[in-house]
Amino acid sequence: SARTSQLQDMEKSMALASEVQRNLMPKDHLVADGLEIAGKSQWCDDTGGDYYDFFIRQVGGQPHTGIVIGDVTGHGIPSALLMTTARGFLRERITAPGSTAAIMTDVNPHLARDVDGTNRFMSMFYGEIDAARRRICWTRAGHDPALIYDPATDTFDELKGQGLALGLDDSFEYDSFHRRIEAGQ
């Protein structure tokens, strides 16, 4: 029947959207500058707003390892599309100089325009590790703090700091935070 055909077409479209979204996530772990970074997302839906990424970015001639974790409100295709948009804005912005705060401050108004009137927003944690200086800088946009594990003391520290979720206020100015990191952490 026509209804069965429409349902099959919808299922195929959802499967394709899910495949495209998963292909946007990092395929392998990253090993660079004495760091090993890996991630995995366990999704409860075929598509959604979960996002993580890692990459190398040159800052003042030094490689910095960027780490991103984010989540769009809601589930399904609308959240997946917003996640993809945010990824594109971020990936474009990291090609230019600037701190983690400047990057988030620049990405935010673009995302705010796209979510205007939808009651959607995106939380994000964006950090950059400068392995040469043994330092991590980060900016939080409404996301849970990241954790650093110290095997020497068998403790976890939270990478805290205030920051509004992306898309809520197009003029919000984000702050950067930083701390020293030691070998093995």
Side-chain angles (χ1 to χ4, degrees):
S1 79
R3 183 133 171 91
T4 301
S5 177
Q6 286 177 333
L7 185 56
Q8 288 172 338
D9 288 347
M10 179 66 84
E11 288 173 352
K12 285 179 188 175
S13 293
M14 288 295 289
L16 179 59
S18 178
E19 182 181 341
V20 167
Q21 186 176 18
R22 280 171 173 58
N23 284 335
L24 295 175
M25 301 296 180
K27 308 285 183 288
D28 298 308
H29 68 286
L30 175 69
V31 178
D33 291 329
L35 301 170
E36 185 171 357
I37 301 173
K40 181 174 175 62
S41 183
Q42 289 291 120
W43 296 348
C44 60
D45 294 326
D46 287 337
T47 58
D50 295 342
Y51 172 52
Y52 75 92
D53 206 352
F54 38 84
F55 43 81
I56 303 295
R57 175 173 112 90
Q58 293 297 316
V59 179
Q62 292 290 322
H64 284 200
T65 304
I67 303 165
V68 184
I69 302 169
D71 190 17
V72 176
T73 54
H75 298 279
I77 297 286
S79 295
L81 289 172
L82 187 56
M83 181 282 291
T84 303
T85 300
R87 179 188 184 272
F89 289 145
L90 181 67
R91 283 278 179 141
E92 176 63 27
R93 177 55 185 86
I94 63 171
T95 63
S99 66
T100 59
I103 290 168
M104 294 289 255
T105 298
D106 290 347
V107 167
N108 182 49
H110 294 293
L111 203 63
R113 277 193 302 273
D114 284 357
V115 301
D116 189 33
T118 66
N119 292 324
R120 290 190 182 274
F121 58 88
M122 182 174 195
S123 68
M124 187 179 286
F125 174 93
Y126 174 51
E128 288 185 357
I129 299 171
D130 179 349
R133 288 200 251 159
R134 293 188 180 222
R135 184 174 128 133
I136 183 169
C137 296
W138 70 91
T139 296
R140 285 186 53 219
H143 203 74
D144 292 334
L147 300 174
I148 289 188
Y149 175 69
D150 186 347
T153 60
D154 193 31
T155 59
F156 289 90
D157 283 335
E158 290 185 338
L159 301 182
K160 297 179 181 179
Q162 69 280 2
L164 194 63
L166 297 168
L168 292 176
D169 177 353
D170 64 357
S171 63
F172 190 82
E173 295 280 330
Y174 291 89
D175 292 319
S176 291
F177 304 92
H178 61 87
R179 66 162 276 173
R180 184 162 173 78
I181 52 175
E182 302 297 338
Q185 290 184 330

